[in-house]
Amino acid sequence: MAKATVTFEDINVTVTVPAGTRIIEISEKVGAGITFGCREGDCGTCLMKVTEGWNNLSEPSVLEDKILRENFAGKHNRLACQAQVLGGEVKIRPA
């Protein structure tokens, strides 16, 4: 199974995960500062900045792209609940 490396710059932690894992799942396990309000109906709170490895994430879905536009997200921002690591290395921090 393919592996990927994710670095959470806010807590200086790097982990190796299976390809296809969503960033929010990893963030919860390592205690990173990416918050989310999906369960309370506050979509867009898990906004993160991808500082390296943008190409190693899944493409934004139509829904994610819509939420990013509504939140005036920058070029390298993604929603942690939607972005999946495909392989290689990715470095992120809360937006």
Side-chain angles (χ1 to χ4, degrees), residues 10-72:
D10 61 319
I11 60 172
N12 198 30
V13 169
T14 300
V15 293
T16 300
V17 298
T21 306
R22 293 189 191 277
I23 296 290
I24 197 69
E25 296 168 6
I26 309 162
S27 176
E28 284 184 292
K29 289 180 181 175
V30 300
I34 298 173
T35 59
F36 63 100
C38 307
R39 295 178 183 134
E40 289 82 35
D42 192 8
C43 190
T45 57
C46 66
L47 194 63
M48 64 178 184
K49 173 81 170 178
V50 182
T51 58
E52 285 185 39
W54 176 263
N55 301 356
N56 295 326
L57 295 175
S58 58
E59 290 291 320
S61 67
V62 172
L63 175 61
E64 181 182 4
D65 192 49
K66 177 182 180 283
I67 299 299
L68 291 170
R69 282 192 321 269
E70 287 174 356
N71 285 282
F72 304 103

